[in-house]
Amino acid sequence: MRSSTHQVTHLLRAWGEGEQSALDELVPLVYQEMHRLAQVYMSRERSGHVLQTTALVNEAYIRLVDTTKASWQNRAHFFAICANVMRRILVEWARSRQALKRGGAAAPLELVESLVAADEPGQDLVALDDALKDLSALDPRKGKVVELRFFGGLSVEETAEALKISCETVMRDWKFAKSWLRRELGKEKPVAVRTLAAH
């Protein structure tokens, strides 16, 4: 069951103002939803990915806790930031795996659970991330809609709440962004295009 929007928003604001006890109350309320977000991300990864859902949640939690004096607007804003953090972690992981396979000396991610060598470096995620950066440079809002809907697993309503726009605008941006990303990814990354087309 989802945590109370009002209660989470109150605790987020208190934590953002430096009240550390608010974080202790907040974690049990948001952990399940953070885990749900992580599951959405991991479901888009290839089978056999060595980064487990719990490790992704824990790393995201660590990075969020290190955020000081954040101006949390509400529950939707918090989960939008969670989605962004989780995406960054997976992209960093995929890029580091690619660099290691090419012989580069990439710094390892500091994950709670150790990473071991994997057969799949997450090339499709990297291609999609690169294309999303290009889209965000052209239209930041459309980039955020993709990030929240595709990567974060947020509903149309949650995305609208997080971005403070209408559901109709979310749907228009989502439709345009999917078409633009499909064109950018083209034939070079068919797996990424098929994954995007399924949403």
Side-chain angles (χ1 to χ4, degrees):
M1 188 164 87
R2 293 202 167 187
S3 49
S4 159
T5 299
H6 177 74
Q7 187 179 13
V8 169
T9 298
H10 172 75
L11 291 170
L12 281 168
R13 288 179 177 159
W15 174 34
E17 292 166 3
E19 192 178 317
Q20 285 304 305
S21 62
L23 179 60
D24 296 333
E25 290 181 59
L26 180 67
V27 170
L29 296 176
V30 298
Y31 185 85
Q32 186 176 4
E33 288 179 68
M34 287 181 69
H35 203 273
R36 179 186 65 84
L37 273 178
Q39 284 178 320
V40 169
Y41 270 98
M42 296 309 296
S43 71
R44 295 195 172 100
E45 293 296 308
R46 291 188 172 117
S47 60
H49 197 296
V50 296
L51 179 58
Q52 299 299 311
T53 301
T54 302
L56 181 56
V57 173
N58 290 342
E59 179 65 13
Y61 172 77
I62 289 167
R63 293 188 187 195
L64 288 166
V65 168
D66 285 343
T67 305
T68 55
K69 298 291 182 184
S71 299
W72 303 110
Q73 297 167 17
N74 53 34
R75 178 185 159 282
H77 179 240
F78 174 77
F79 286 109
I81 298 298
C82 284
N84 180 275
V85 169
M86 289 180 188
R87 173 177 159 236
R88 290 283 116 230
I89 291 167
L90 286 172
V91 170
E92 287 169 17
W93 181 86
R95 288 190 192 280
S96 70
R97 293 302 309 146
Q98 287 179 357
L100 289 172
K101 285 202 167 194
R102 290 190 303 266
L109 290 175
E110 296 177 8
L111 294 171
V112 175
E113 297 176 16
S114 355
L115 294 175
V116 295
D119 294 329
E120 300 294 346
Q123 292 173 337
D124 294 317
L125 178 63
V126 172
L128 187 55
D129 183 65
D130 289 341
L132 183 55
K133 283 180 185 172
D134 292 341
L135 173 62
S136 297
L138 293 172
D139 191 322
R141 190 185 70 205
K142 287 181 176 64
K144 290 302 282 182
V145 167
V146 173
E147 184 174 276
L148 297 177
R149 297 274 293 127
F150 180 77
F151 288 102
L154 271 63
S155 68
V156 170
E157 293 76 15
E158 289 169 326
T159 302
E161 182 184 355
L163 297 179
K164 299 189 182 329
I165 57 177
S166 71
C167 291
E168 292 77 16
T169 300
V170 170
M171 291 304 295
R172 278 195 306 272
D173 285 356
W174 179 233
K175 184 177 179 180
F176 174 89
K178 285 201 299 182
S179 175
W180 190 93
L181 288 168
R182 279 192 204 107
R183 187 181 71 243
E184 287 297 302
L185 291 166
K187 295 179 182 176
E188 293 180 17
K189 296 293 177 186
V191 175
V193 173
R194 285 197 301 271
T195 305
L196 184 65
H199 291 83

